[in-house]
Amino acid sequence: MSREQRGPNEKLGAVLALAGISNAGLARRVNDLGAQRGLTLRYDKTSVARWVSKGMVPQGAAPHLIAAAIGQKLGRPVPLQEIGLADADPAPEVGLAFPRDVGAAVRSATELYRLDLAGRRAGSGGIWQSLAGSFAVSAYATPASRWLITPADASVARAANTAEGADSGESSSAPLKVGHSDVQKLREAAEDARRWDSKYGGGDWRSSMVPECLRVEAAPLLLGSYSDEVGRALFGASAELTRLAGWMAFDTGQQEAAQRYYIQALRLARAAADVPLGGYVLASMSLQATYRGFGDEGVDLAQAALERNRGLATARTMSFFRLVEARAHARAGDAQAAGASLKAAEGWLERARDGDNDPSWLGFYSYDRFAADAAECYRDLKAPRQVRRFTEQALSRPTEEYVRSHGLRLVVSAVAELESGNLDAACEQGVRAVEVAGRISSARTTEYVKDLLHRLEPYGDEPRVVELRERARPLLMAPA
């Protein structure tokens, strides 16, 4: 359904011309984006002509999908105002702001928490509301630069009032007085979520409770009253949980939601004055950008994490940041820079000691993780011997705690065997990877398996390849 504006939508027509998208092309892009989100749309060139020439405003998710489709072509976010659809259903910009003011930062984060990962406002039975804007790596530019300029707020003490709580949508009659015990509960929730995510993937139902924890537990605390000391700790714990929500969304293929969570996590880390945690969020942004094919931007984000942490972060933390930088250089095709970053990462790791005051969120990182990522770097650089060497080291550690990582490493190993001409070994590792992938809920792991099967297509009639494809069929047919 649509409703009519007054006269033609000249803004939409102008932006379509700027992007070089035809009416039929826009309709096709909008339908495809809708299908990715479980929506069945049947727009055609006539529909688009009505939007432009008669000013018709499509209902539901369509305006946000139009903005996302045009944004993909232009390579930047496109707000509804720019295409003359500002009076459509609200909310596509939620979570993309990186406010300078702490109070505004609280409002920005808690507004995002009130939207679940599917983009539907919590507690609402209404139409699908948008986190539908396409992932745009350019949305990270302002958060990264503002964090680099000012990595900590001067003060975060807060005296809330009842009216403020009512405006936020919370039902409490009086604002909470937040103490260290409240913060500790959030930290424990983050630790539990990290463990479940590593073992079962971002789509496991236990992991999916993180957004609910942010909405029900973290938001009322952030909107409460607290001293500067308690507030710093609260912002830090909330930043950890928010980054986790982003990581889980990333792992399940919800890139738009992940991007919004990451931006808010970085802003909360700044309020916490926790520079290493801010670096960790930037490293997560870098990995997402790299995974999406934006290697150069991934390098920038990783280097932003490194720059502010010189002399502050532990050796193990610096090693991880250099490793993330290497991943981005490798995706960008710069073998020399990737090799230098890997060498630096290994050097920092050799300096790390058990007695170092490493942050709790870095508990996953040891030499086997370094080896696993080094293998992926050399996979991107098409150096199968190096891939095999590092993969063997990565697979040497027991995997009960890090099941998803084990599955990813098996796929990388299979690719290395295939590129070395060892088809049987590649299929053997592939079968093991499919077995692991079937035990977890991770769209990222499934994508790795799909990539392996694609690489095996030239050998499609080989019995081992046929067997692997059949074993993978239930995984590939499972709903996302």
Side-chain angles (χ1 to χ4, degrees):
M1 294 180 63
S2 301
R3 63 176 183 272
E4 190 166 353
Q5 291 181 335
R6 296 179 179 177
N9 185 342
E10 295 178 354
K11 288 184 176 181
L12 178 58
V15 176
L16 284 177
L18 175 66
I21 304 176
S22 67
N23 287 359
L26 179 62
R28 183 176 62 255
R29 288 167 182 263
V30 170
N31 291 341
D32 289 346
L33 285 175
Q36 293 172 20
R37 292 159 175 80
L39 302 174
T40 301
L41 303 176
R42 296 185 176 87
Y43 294 117
D44 56 23
K45 62 182 181 181
T46 304
S47 307
V48 179
R50 291 193 186 105
W51 302 340
V52 176
S53 63
K54 295 185 177 181
M56 303 296 286
V57 180
Q59 300 296 287
H64 312 303
L65 297 174
I66 294 168
I70 298 172
Q72 283 183 339
K73 187 69 184 294
L74 293 175
R76 62 173 175 81
V78 174
L80 293 185
Q81 291 87 343
E82 185 177 351
I83 55 176
L85 297 174
D87 61 342
D89 299 313
E93 305 304 317
V94 171
L96 291 175
F98 191 92
R100 290 187 172 89
D101 175 70
V102 176
V106 168
R107 291 191 294 274
S108 182
T110 53
E111 175 65 15
L112 177 62
Y113 298 163
R114 286 193 288 273
L115 290 168
D116 68 21
L117 285 178
R120 184 173 300 147
R121 191 167 294 277
S124 169
I127 62 172
W128 186 86
Q129 289 189 322
S130 175
L131 285 185
S134 175
F135 170 83
V137 73
S138 58
Y140 284 148
T142 295
S145 62
R146 287 187 181 175
W147 185 83
L148 280 169
I149 294 167
T150 310
D153 291 288
S155 174
V156 297
R158 192 172 192 275
N161 56 63
T162 303
E164 192 173 38
D167 289 342
S168 72
E170 302 299 327
S171 59
S172 176
S173 59
L176 293 171
K177 177 67 175 177
V178 184
H180 284 294
S181 61
D182 300 304
V183 176
Q184 182 58 31
K185 290 178 182 177
L186 292 184
R187 293 200 183 282
E188 290 172 359
E191 185 60 37
D192 287 344
R194 275 193 293 270
R195 185 168 57 253
W196 283 113
D197 171 65
S198 294
K199 195 169 184 178
Y200 297 108
D204 180 72
W205 68 268
R206 302 166 186 84
S207 300
S208 68
M209 294 301 291
V210 173
E212 183 72 1
C213 180
L214 288 169
R215 184 178 72 85
V216 175
E217 303 293 341
L221 296 177
L222 288 168
L223 293 165
S225 297
Y226 34 83
S227 66
D228 183 68
E229 179 190 3
V230 171
R232 300 283 186 195
L234 173 61
F235 281 113
S238 299
E240 285 190 46
L241 271 171
T242 306
R243 192 214 67 87
L244 270 167
W247 180 257
M248 293 167 183
F250 166 63
D251 188 50
T252 53
Q254 300 174 85
Q255 304 297 335
E256 303 94 332
Q259 184 167 45
R260 287 160 169 76
Y261 279 122
Y262 284 157
I263 291 171
Q264 297 313 302
L266 185 63
R267 185 59 188 89
L268 293 169
R270 188 173 98 163
D274 192 333
V275 177
L277 178 57
Y280 187 38
V281 178
L282 284 163
S284 300
M285 292 176 170
S286 175
L287 287 169
Q288 183 188 31
T290 299
Y291 179 80
R292 299 287 290 174
F294 298 97
D296 287 336
E297 290 82 355
V299 171
D300 293 339
L301 290 162
Q303 290 179 347
L306 284 162
E307 187 60 34
R308 273 293 179 181
N309 274 283
R310 299 184 193 281
L312 289 175
T314 64
R316 194 180 307 276
T317 306
M318 291 296 286
S319 172
F320 180 69
F321 293 165
R322 291 306 300 262
L323 180 62
V324 171
E325 181 189 32
R327 290 289 303 271
H329 278 308
R331 180 56 65 93
D334 192 335
Q336 184 175 356
S341 296
L342 283 173
K343 183 177 180 180
E346 191 167 22
W348 278 111
L349 194 55
E350 288 172 351
R351 279 179 256 175
R353 298 292 179 267
D354 289 340
D356 292 346
N357 189 28
D358 291 320
S360 59
W361 41 258
L362 198 65
F364 67 91
Y365 185 56
S366 58
Y367 189 82
D368 69 292
R369 172 59 190 265
F370 165 80
D373 280 45
E376 295 210 38
C377 288
Y378 286 115
R379 177 203 61 191
D380 291 342
L381 295 170
K382 303 188 185 307
R385 286 187 181 180
Q386 293 284 60
V387 176
R388 176 185 287 178
R389 178 167 72 89
F390 280 106
T391 300
E392 288 175 354
Q393 296 170 13
L395 290 171
S396 64
R397 177 178 174 174
T399 57
E400 182 63 28
E401 189 176 355
Y402 301 102
V403 177
R404 178 181 53 212
S405 293
H406 185 57
L408 295 173
R409 294 168 192 182
L410 286 168
V411 178
V412 174
S413 175
V415 171
E417 294 291 357
L418 180 62
E419 293 186 349
S420 298
N422 303 319
L423 181 61
D424 286 348
C427 291
E428 180 181 348
Q429 293 291 67
V431 167
R432 293 174 61 195
V434 167
E435 180 184 345
V436 172
R439 291 156 46 197
I440 60 177
S441 180
S442 168
R444 194 157 45 104
T445 305
T446 302
E447 286 300 317
Y448 273 50
V449 172
K450 287 180 180 178
D451 176 68
L452 172 62
L453 293 174
H454 176 71
R455 293 170 186 263
L456 286 167
E457 284 179 359
Y459 311 94
D461 295 332
E462 293 287 340
R464 296 296 301 274
V465 176
V466 172
E467 178 190 358
L468 173 58
R469 191 184 303 118
E470 286 303 310
R471 286 176 178 265
R473 190 183 302 278
L475 174 69
L476 302 182
M477 293 180 64

